[in-house]
Amino acid sequence: MRSPGMERRIAIGHDRASLDRIARPDAALAIWWRKVPEPLRSALATLDLSAVDNLSVEVDLCESVGPALQEAGYRGTAYARLCEDLDMLMRRHAALTGEDRLRVRLAVVETPIAGRFDADDAMLAMTCTYIGPGIQWCCADGLDAIYEVPTGAVGVFKGRRLLDPPLVLRREPAMAAAEGRRLVLTIDPPGGCDRDGAPRSRPQADLI
């Protein structure tokens, strides 16, 4: 059960406009509570994750992420459906930040041990897990209650550039070997990441 304080920090809704609530000064996380759209889900079911490369690219809003997806090895229906969804999410992120250039990362992730909860330096980091368990999060003052942005749902986390100290922390979930790999999207403004594409972060808790 969410506390009144948590209600102010976390905004959850069932349409893309729900993400606009991250603009509230006391909001730390906004979630568009959706499933992976059915055409995309069906296309991803045919995707061989071992045959695609991780993608990390800066894209102008007037461009499509399509060429980068093709270079990373995405083909056919999976390419077309992912390109459509990623381009839409880029536009949503740009509407929130006013940024006309964004960093887009699409990574195949295999995490045997859950990471440490942290918050990065990006202004607004948008995440979506297309395959596998979603990103876990908790309130900075309530580390005993761990939640998840479900698979397919879109989360926008407010980073330290806008909210320091952070009110919400996040981490990658642990996965058993039998669960295979995850496909995770992150969109943020350039400059919120290190040169290798990893988010700059400061550990906040040692929960494992």
Side-chain angles (χ1 to χ4, degrees), residues 15-100:
D15 57 52
R16 66 185 67 181
S18 306
L19 300 178
D20 295 343
R21 301 176 195 170
I22 195 67
R24 297 190 323 225
D26 55 355
L29 169 61
I31 301 175
W32 173 11
W33 201 277
R34 68 165 193 172
K35 296 181 179 180
V36 178
E38 178 55 32
L40 176 55
R41 188 194 66 78
S42 297
L44 291 176
T46 68
L47 181 64
D48 180 3
L49 292 180
S50 65
V52 296
D53 297 326
N54 289 343
L55 178 158
S56 180
V57 63
E58 291 185 13
V59 182
D60 287 332
L61 186 60
C62 61
E63 301 172 345
S64 170
V65 77
L69 279 174
Q70 289 181 323
E71 187 174 345
Y74 289 88
R75 298 289 185 270
T77 307
Y79 157 78
R81 297 300 185 187
L82 263 176
C83 185
E84 181 181 12
D85 204 61
L86 267 60
D87 285 348
M88 179 273 293
L89 291 178
M90 285 173 54
R91 292 192 296 270
R92 289 300 307 143
H93 193 294
L96 296 174
T97 63
E99 296 282 345
D100 57 7

Side-chain angles (χ1 to χ4, degrees), residues 55-193:
L55 178 158
S56 180
V57 63
E58 291 185 13
V59 182
D60 287 332
L61 186 60
C62 61
E63 301 172 345
S64 170
V65 77
L69 279 174
Q70 289 181 323
E71 187 174 345
Y74 289 88
R75 298 289 185 270
T77 307
Y79 157 78
R81 297 300 185 187
L82 263 176
C83 185
E84 181 181 12
D85 204 61
L86 267 60
D87 285 348
M88 179 273 293
L89 291 178
M90 285 173 54
R91 292 192 296 270
R92 289 300 307 143
H93 193 294
L96 296 174
T97 63
E99 296 282 345
D100 57 7
R101 188 168 180 81
L102 298 168
R103 182 187 296 269
V104 180
R105 288 171 287 149
L106 186 64
V108 178
V109 180
E110 187 172 354
T111 311
I113 300 176
R116 295 162 64 180
F117 281 103
D118 59 42
D120 62 38
D121 289 341
M123 291 190 299
L124 295 177
M126 177 181 286
T127 69
C128 179
T129 302
Y130 289 106
I131 298 175
I135 298 291
Q136 293 181 336
W137 62 271
C138 67
C139 292
D141 58 358
L143 299 178
D144 56 333
I146 299 172
Y147 304 89
E148 180 180 302
V149 179
T151 305
V154 181
V156 176
F157 292 83
K158 190 173 287 183
R160 291 178 181 273
R161 295 188 185 185
L162 295 179
L163 196 60
D164 195 5
L167 299 179
V168 168
L169 312 175
R170 59 189 170 110
R171 72 176 181 184
E172 299 292 334
M175 285 184 63
E179 293 181 280
R181 300 179 176 93
R182 300 166 60 236
L183 183 63
V184 183
L185 170 72
T186 305
I187 302 175
D188 53 19
C193 302

